[in-house]
Amino acid sequence: KDRKRPVKLIFPQRGERLALLEMAATNSRLAQNELLTQKATAAVRIPDGVFQLQKDLRLPVPPRSIVAFDVSNLGETDPVGSLVYFRDGKPLKREYRHFKIKTVVGRNDFAMIGELVSRWFSDLVEEGKEFPDLALIDGGSWQLSAALRALEALNITDVPVIGLAKRLEQVVLP
């Protein structure tokens, strides 16, 4: 447009100019692939805290997917449970769940945790979905034991499970 004289386009068929053109095309493809690879790896960067958690809990793999279970009693007659889900250290809110406890009567946190764990993992098995890398149970050794029994009843033995006791803010291992 700004050029005052005609432009001559050259389409080399052989020789040194063709080799230069092919090298430029190859370099362009390599640069584009490198950029795409950098974008892909940046999108799935695993936070350092995930690796630290793996080390601290002696887990076989970094816990990239973590599910946490909690139960509560809304008054005397309305036991409920909740589940939160994290992926690469960030909450994945579309995976959050709220449950009405169906089989437990009265205040029995241990049985409620067992029901919650059993129902959620049963759904995963039925739907053929992947298990999380770590399951957290809100509560101490009794709640943890109830969750482990629920998983054992489903023949699920490869999901690491820990408890988080509130009173002393301690991690409870099986």
Side-chain angles (χ1 to χ4, degrees):
K1 179 174 163 177
D2 293 335
R3 193 168 173 94
K4 305 289 185 220
R5 54 189 178 152
V7 175
K8 183 178 177 184
L9 299 177
I10 301 173
F11 300 96
Q13 302 298 312
R14 62 184 188 281
E16 189 177 314
R17 288 186 176 174
L18 178 62
L20 283 172
L21 186 63
E22 288 171 345
M23 183 171 60
T26 300
N27 288 344
S28 175
R29 278 191 301 276
L30 290 172
Q32 182 181 24
N33 287 341
E34 179 66 26
L35 279 173
L36 292 173
T37 301
Q38 286 175 356
K39 283 183 180 181
T41 56
V44 294
R45 185 187 175 289
I46 302 172
D48 294 338
V50 172
F51 293 108
Q52 187 63 46
L53 196 55
Q54 176 189 14
K55 180 181 170 192
D56 291 344
L57 297 174
R58 297 179 194 95
L59 299 173
V61 297
R64 295 187 64 200
S65 57
I66 301 173
V67 63
F69 297 91
D70 191 13
V71 293
S72 180
N73 291 285
L74 302 174
E76 293 294 320
T77 59
D78 296 316
V80 294
S82 60
L83 173 150
V84 294
Y85 196 95
F86 295 88
R87 180 78 181 162
D88 292 329
K90 295 182 178 149
L92 200 59
K93 295 193 176 185
R94 71 175 181 263
E95 295 295 328
Y96 283 20
R97 298 290 180 266
H98 181 81
F99 297 86
K100 285 187 178 182
I101 302 298
K102 297 177 179 177
T103 62
V104 179
V105 178
R107 289 181 177 230
N108 184 341
D109 284 1
F110 319 124
M112 289 166 41
I113 282 285
E115 177 184 329
L116 195 60
V117 168
S118 180
R119 284 172 54 190
W120 190 73
F121 275 95
S122 292
D123 288 347
L124 290 185
V125 169
E126 188 176 302
E127 295 168 12
K129 291 186 177 178
E130 283 187 33
F131 294 149
D133 298 320
L134 177 64
L136 305 177
I137 305 300
D138 182 43
S141 58
W142 290 96
Q143 286 88 345
L144 179 59
S145 294
L148 290 170
R149 280 193 304 276
L151 290 173
E152 191 177 294
L154 296 169
N155 292 320
I156 298 172
T157 58
D158 54 346
V159 177
V161 185
I162 64 168
L164 296 173
K166 287 181 191 173
R167 242 179 240 157
L168 300 174
E169 295 184 15
Q170 65 186 154
V171 173
V172 181
L173 300 172

